Amino acid sequence: QVQLVESGGGLVQPGGSLRLSCAASGITFSIYDMGWYRQAPGKQRELVATITSGSSTDYAESVKGRFTISRDNAKNTVYLQMNSLKPEDTAVYYCNAKLATMWYWGQGTQVTVSS
């Protein structure tokens, strides 16, 4: 059974930082491309950042220079370091694992940026 479990969300002030983690089980983690998506209230889910099995990364324009995605294949974990957070970053953040036509999602973790 595939499980993606996110952690690290919470309430942070504008300009602050958070690090999200996503622990995967039930898959051969190292061969999967991993990603972080987010969904704000009333909006569609959007891509935030991706990291391939070869560790190539890509980011949404809105987070470039502020967010960093990384992976630790030994721990079956993908991370999202979020710096200089803005109120518009408030959303539920979802971890995604992708291999060809197989897509898996975590349950999400809430990130709220507010003073």
Side-chain angles (χ1 to χ4, degrees), residues 6 9 16 22 24 32 43 57 65 72-73 91 104:
E6 301 101 334
C22 171
Y32 276 73
K43 294 188 176 181
T57 59
D72 185 337
N73 289 340
Y104 302 105

Side-chain angles (χ1 to χ4, degrees), residues 2-4 22 24-25 27-29 31-37 51 71 78 94-106:
V2 178
Q3 281 194 311
L4 300 176
C22 171
S25 60
I27 59 173
T28 305
F29 180 80
I31 66 173
Y32 276 73
D33 295 339
M34 301 298 297
W36 288 96
Y37 290 70
I51 184 165
R71 66 190 297 160
V78 61
Y94 297 91
C95 177
N96 169 262
K98 183 177 70 172
L99 179 66
T101 59
M102 293 183 290
W103 287 57
Y104 302 105
W105 294 94

Side-chain angles (χ1 to χ4, degrees), residues 5-105:
V5 180
E6 301 101 334
S7 60
L11 173 64
V12 63
Q13 291 187 341
S17 298
L18 283 175
R19 188 174 84 151
L20 305 183
S21 300
C22 171
S25 60
I27 59 173
T28 305
F29 180 80
S30 62
I31 66 173
Y32 276 73
D33 295 339
M34 301 298 297
W36 288 96
Y37 290 70
R38 68 186 180 187
Q39 188 166 17
K43 294 188 176 181
Q44 289 189 330
R45 190 173 297 190
E46 64 176 0
L47 175 67
V48 176
T50 59
I51 184 165
T52 68
S53 57
S55 293
S56 295
T57 59
D58 196 17
Y59 298 91
E61 284 296 325
S62 60
V63 307
K64 278 184 180 177
R66 300 188 298 122
F67 291 10
T68 303
I69 189 171
S70 61
R71 66 190 297 160
D72 185 337
N73 289 340
K75 295 183 178 180
N76 288 357
T77 300
V78 61
Y79 305 96
L80 186 68
Q81 177 66 44
M82 305 186 294
N83 299 328
S84 302
L85 282 160
K86 304 175 181 180
E88 52 263 44
D89 295 317
T90 295
V92 178
Y93 284 69
Y94 297 91
C95 177
N96 169 262
K98 183 177 70 172
L99 179 66
T101 59
M102 293 183 290
W103 287 57
Y104 302 105
W105 294 94

